Amino acid sequence: MDVGSLLSQAGDPVHLNREKAITSLEEALSTKDPKESKEIIEQLQNGVLTMARSDQWEQRLGAMRIAGVLISSHAADPAFLENAIEICSDRLEDAEVRVRLAVGQVLKALSAEIGTVVWEKTIERILSSIRENFDRDLAEPSSTTVQGERDQRPDSPSLVASLLQQTYRVERPGTGEMRHGTEGWKCLETSFRALQGIMEGCGATFAPYLTPELRALIYKALLHPNRFVREACHYILGSVCQLLEGPELETLGPEIANKLGLGLSDNWSQVRYAASVATRTFLLAAKPYHEIVLPMVLPHICLNRYYVAEGVRLYSQETWQLIMGDQGRLWVAKCAPTVVSYYVEQSKANNHAVREAACASIAELMCKVDKEAVAPHVPRLLRALLMCFRDASWPVRDAACLACGRCVLAFPDESKEVLAKLYDLWFAHLWDNIFSVREDSAIALANAARAYGPDAISRIVAKITEMLPKAKDQPADSKARGNLENTTLFGVAAERSQRANDQELHTDKTMFSCGSLAPKLQRGGGGGDGCMDHGFARDKEPWEATDGCIYMIRELAGVAPDQVPQFLPGLAEAARLTHFNHCLNLQETLWRNLPEIAKGIGKKSFKPYLEEFLQPVFQGLRCGHRLCEAAAGQCIGKLRDLIGPGIFEGRLDDDQKILLHSSSDIPPPQGPLSGMGLSKAPVGAGAAGVGVPVAGGIPMMMGQTRIMPPPPTTTMPR
């Protein structure tokens, strides 16, 4: 191995070359003869000492990476270990973050190799770095005039001039109140990660060094404004739980559980995930005294099982299964007051994703947990859901809509107090501009029908009668999202390219963060119908009312099938409407749901209306809208299987039979009658269907000619 080339490659500006050098070094150290390796290691150690003093950060990073490999492979000599500790102390606040992170890894390897002596020699350096950078430097000016111009103050100060100066000052990005929350903390995060590395490297031997002062510093950092610092310190807290396992952790258990609860409720998903990791470690170490600490974090874990960030959600679900086993419902019932209070609190959170998770959690609480434990809290939970039902974020409204439906089904008597408001909201959202909200409103109303019987069914039937014909009044220029106009700071999509390259629009402007708590999506609480409360000026599109009725009729077929046939002619009429832009979207919804409607009311009740749908559904196969074509094909296949292939085909004209056998969107027959009643497509009925063979079968209707399948042909190879 050429040591010079390897050192040069380890400090290469190209990341891939640096990684290749480290991989080559690891392979060489594992295969070389000890005598030969000794000379190589000595050269590498000298190279590390030289590279660590380089002005190029790539060289310094390479030095740290090589040092880490040498120490981890137990190849470094004692003198080099001492030098490595000094290098890490010198580079703890390196200007390059990648070098600082590598320092933390080297400190971890050193601690694993020689123990707590590393902490004893670096404690002052690390703790002073943390304390000095814990707060940002506020000495710089908080504001300047535009483009750095001098602030022109009057020679003789006056009250009016002073007020104008304060009112019309312009904050520059990166200064004062315009400074981003992740900016200006220097090496605080990486210094904490260096502390974490030493703790993990030392293991149980570090426990005596976890003094109250050090724990207080960690607890304080859990509330730091910088989310990256909070994330790092939650990982550190997990390490603390491992080190203190035993009587000391039992003493500190409630204190740690409270801190973990804050992290599990953090606005940032990365912090929630770090807190989730620490919480699992804590609960596994605290098994003997779960009765004390588990109620303090149980609501947080329970809610995070529905959190929108997949990593947090899946990890929390695994933690729940690991810790609770089959006792989860019993624990939630036991801690019901605490769980309810936390859910209600989270339903008011600034983060719309948290509000959505709270609605899903409330629905689960009402459906799955002992009703005697939950019943006293139902009014409070319903009030929280009603507020979320008027949220600015449609996923929150969607989740609240479903949760309310489950609530009235589980607690019909307790829900009567707010039932009138719920009906208004459900019917309003049945006409929402988001299709999934319309569908879930129908599902919720069906639950209300199951809970309250004829009274709810009569309300639903009256509303369908009113809304189903609305598509006939739809103007030709329909819009998929209603009359919403994009008047945001960022403009409409057509102007995106022009605006993206306009320097004036992106210089000295307010900075926004993807996780900002700015009220872009307000919480609910208004007094309207839910679709209008959240601040959008929106006119409802008539076709969306008909679309919502399709979902409602599908759900009604499962609750009160005798009420559905009266609406089938109206559905067929809606399927023939083609005068507005989104008629194919409406048809797609109908074709996706018609088979379920037919199955719900039974084929005997549906067959008299079948022919009214045949022409529009076969036209949908050739409409040019792929989603509609696919839905129409699936609809035809399911109706054919429900009615019976022979009877279904007997209702078709020649062109429709050709499409039935030639369209790739129609699935092959399924079910016990799949091979019966099929015939050849008529020859000459259309160019597309000439000579299309199909499977033979038994005649299903009088007057049909029995058509046998053609004999198989075998082509012999030449």
Side-chain angles (χ1 to χ4, degrees):
M1 179 175 63
D2 186 349
V3 176
S5 298
L6 189 144
L7 292 171
S8 176
Q9 191 178 21
D12 195 274
V14 179
H15 171 76
L16 184 59
N17 291 337
R18 297 197 298 270
E19 293 300 317
K20 287 180 178 178
I22 299 303
T23 303
S24 299
L25 176 59
E26 291 173 340
E27 293 175 353
L29 291 176
S30 63
T31 58
K32 287 287 185 182
D33 180 73
K35 293 182 179 180
E36 185 180 354
S37 297
K38 187 175 181 180
E39 297 179 3
I40 295 174
I41 290 169
E42 187 175 349
Q43 296 177 40
L44 288 171
Q45 292 177 161
N46 293 332
V48 166
L49 298 178
T50 302
M51 293 171 65
R53 294 190 293 268
S54 174
D55 292 335
Q56 298 179 359
W57 70 263
E58 294 92 348
Q59 292 284 323
R60 301 195 299 273
L61 177 60
M64 293 294 102
R65 296 290 303 278
I66 294 173
V69 172
L70 292 175
I71 297 167
S72 299
S73 61
H74 311 292
D77 57 48
F80 179 77
L81 297 179
E82 293 293 330
N83 291 330
I85 295 175
E86 293 182 10
I87 292 172
C88 289
S89 296
D90 292 340
R91 293 301 172 189
L92 185 67
E93 296 188 355
D94 194 276
E96 173 55 44
V97 63
R98 282 165 283 196
V99 176
R100 300 200 300 270
L101 290 172
V103 166
Q105 294 301 312
V106 174
L107 287 172
K108 181 177 180 179
L110 283 167
S111 300
E113 184 72 9
I114 58 178
T116 56
V117 66
V118 178
W119 176 243
E120 292 171 356
K121 292 187 176 183
T122 58
I123 179 173
E124 293 298 330
R125 182 76 177 95
I126 293 174
L127 293 183
S128 64
S129 174
I130 290 173
R131 293 190 179 105
E132 289 172 6
N133 295 298
F134 201 91
D135 297 311
R136 289 192 292 195
D137 183 11
L138 302 179
E140 60 185 81
S142 62
S143 64
T144 59
T145 55
V146 177
Q147 298 179 354
E149 296 175 358
R150 282 188 68 184
D151 197 5
Q152 301 297 327
R153 299 185 182 275
D155 294 334
S156 55
S158 67
L159 177 61
V160 174
S162 177
L163 290 174
L164 289 174
Q165 290 285 349
Q166 294 295 321
T167 303
Y168 294 104
R169 67 181 182 180
V170 178
E171 298 277 5
R172 293 183 63 84
T175 62
E177 296 176 359
M178 293 287 290
R179 206 171 190 185
H180 196 273
T182 60
E183 182 183 357
W185 306 105
K186 299 179 183 177
C187 57
L188 180 60
E189 178 201 354
T190 52
S191 295
F192 269 117
R193 292 195 181 275
L195 169 60
Q196 178 188 358
I198 294 175
M199 291 173 62
E200 294 177 354
C202 292
T205 59
F206 192 85
Y209 297 91
L210 280 171
T211 61
E213 293 77 14
L214 182 57
R215 292 200 306 271
L217 181 63
I218 296 171
Y219 293 161
K220 182 180 177 183
L222 294 175
L223 304 175
H224 196 273
N226 188 317
R227 63 182 184 270
F228 299 109
V229 174
R230 297 199 303 275
E231 178 189 2
C233 288
H234 277 95
Y235 283 120
I236 292 175
L237 191 57
S239 300
V240 169
C241 295
Q242 283 184 317
L243 297 177
L244 297 181
E245 185 174 357
E248 192 170 0
L249 183 61
E250 183 176 3
T251 304
L252 298 174
E255 178 182 300
I256 293 176
N258 279 326
K259 304 299 180 183
L260 289 172
L262 296 174
L264 291 170
S265 306
D266 198 273
N267 187 56
W268 286 92
S269 301
Q270 296 92 331
V271 180
R272 279 191 185 235
Y273 184 82
S276 298
V277 173
T279 300
R280 180 188 293 186
T281 303
F282 170 66
L283 291 176
L284 289 174
K287 273 188 176 181
Y289 36 94
H290 270 184
E291 291 283 343
I292 300 174
V293 298
L294 188 54
M296 304 177 73
V297 293
L298 181 143
H300 310 73
I301 304 172
C302 203
L303 183 140
N304 281 341
R305 293 178 302 122
Y306 290 96
Y307 192 65
V308 66
E310 187 176 28
V312 175
R313 184 173 68 251
L314 296 180
Y315 195 89
S316 298
Q317 291 170 3
E318 293 174 0
T319 300
W320 187 265
Q321 294 173 351
L322 183 65
I323 301 298
M324 298 297 181
D326 59 354
Q327 301 297 309
R329 298 188 189 192
L330 296 177
W331 269 102
V332 173
K334 185 178 179 180
C335 304
T338 305
V339 172
V340 169
S341 296
Y342 182 73
Y343 286 177
V344 172
E345 175 190 345
Q346 293 299 291
S347 71
K348 304 173 185 177
N350 284 317
N351 189 331
H352 65 92
V354 177
R355 301 197 297 273
E356 181 184 353
C359 292
S361 300
I362 290 173
E364 179 191 54
L365 180 66
M366 292 183 172
C367 295
K368 296 184 178 180
V369 180
D370 180 34
K371 291 188 176 182
E372 291 185 3
V374 178
H377 308 285
V378 170
R380 187 181 177 191
L381 292 170
L382 274 173
R383 289 194 293 272
L385 289 176
L386 283 171
M387 183 180 67
C388 290
F389 216 153
R390 301 185 179 98
D391 203 273
S393 171
W394 69 262
V396 178
R397 301 199 310 274
D398 200 6
C401 176
L402 281 173
C404 289
R406 294 182 179 182
C407 179
V408 299
L409 189 59
F411 296 94
D413 295 332
E414 292 84 350
S415 303
K416 285 183 179 178
E417 182 181 349
V418 295
L419 191 58
K421 294 180 180 179
L422 287 175
Y423 277 130
D424 291 341
L425 287 166
W426 280 326
F427 287 136
H429 285 77
L430 197 62
W431 196 343
D432 196 87
N433 68 320
I434 304 295
F435 81 91
S436 62
V437 177
R438 297 194 290 268
E439 181 176 13
D440 289 339
S441 297
I443 294 172
L445 282 164
N447 283 333
R450 293 183 180 95
Y452 299 111
D455 177 66
I457 292 171
S458 62
R459 289 173 181 262
I460 292 170
V461 169
K463 184 58 67 172
I464 294 175
T465 304
E466 174 191 343
M467 292 172 57
L468 184 60
K470 290 289 185 181
K472 293 188 289 186
D473 302 328
Q474 176 65 53
D477 58 340
S478 62
K479 298 179 182 179
R481 294 294 179 265
N483 292 333
L484 295 175
E485 294 184 2
N486 187 351
T487 57
T488 65
L489 175 67
F490 305 104
V492 295
E495 301 175 353
R496 177 177 295 176
S497 177
Q498 179 181 353
R499 295 180 64 90
N501 294 284
D502 190 336
Q503 296 295 326
E504 292 293 329
L505 292 174
H506 304 289
T507 303
D508 291 340
K509 301 296 182 182
T510 303
M511 294 186 297
F512 291 90
S513 169
C514 62
S516 173
L517 297 182
K520 290 174 285 187
L521 292 176
Q522 304 169 23
R523 294 193 298 269
D529 63 6
C531 294
M532 305 294 288
D533 294 346
H534 41 69
F536 295 131
R538 179 195 187 281
D539 293 331
K540 296 178 178 180
E541 293 285 339
W543 74 270
E544 293 169 348
T546 304
D547 189 89
C549 285
I550 295 173
Y551 294 115
M552 190 67 258
I553 293 170
R554 181 197 71 190
E555 296 299 318
L556 192 62
V559 180
D562 57 309
Q563 298 289 335
V564 171
Q566 61 181 307
F567 299 116
L568 294 180
L571 289 178
E573 185 178 6
R576 291 189 289 269
L577 297 176
T578 58
H579 68 279
F580 56 95
N581 292 342
H582 290 88
C583 60
L584 296 179
N585 297 79
L586 180 63
Q587 290 180 24
E588 179 192 347
T589 301
L590 178 57
W591 304 142
R592 289 186 185 278
N593 292 282
L594 187 61
E596 292 188 50
I597 295 171
K599 184 178 179 180
I601 66 175
K603 63 180 180 181
K604 183 177 180 180
S605 299
F606 182 74
K607 274 197 293 187
Y609 302 94
L610 173 63
E611 294 184 13
E612 297 187 45
F613 294 96
L614 291 177
Q615 180 184 357
V617 73
F618 275 94
Q619 286 178 345
L621 281 174
R622 297 178 291 184
C623 66
H625 187 285
R626 281 302 299 144
L627 292 176
C628 185
E629 290 176 348
Q634 292 292 322
C635 178
I636 292 169
K638 291 178 180 179
L639 291 178
R640 174 201 59 206
D641 296 341
L642 177 68
I643 302 297
I647 296 176
F648 184 83
E649 191 169 341
R651 306 285 182 94
L652 307 182
D653 60 31
D654 289 343
D655 287 337
Q656 290 169 350
K657 290 179 181 178
I658 292 171
L659 283 173
L660 178 67
H661 299 297
S662 62
S663 174
S664 61
D665 289 314
I666 302 177
Q670 304 290 329
L673 303 178
S674 59
M676 304 178 66
L678 299 177
S679 65
K680 281 185 179 180
V683 178
V690 175
V692 179
V694 296
I698 301 172
M700 299 296 291
M701 298 180 63
M702 293 184 62
Q704 282 188 325
T705 303
R706 177 167 181 165
I707 301 175
M708 300 299 293
T713 59
T714 304
T715 303
M716 299 297 293
R718 293 185 176 181

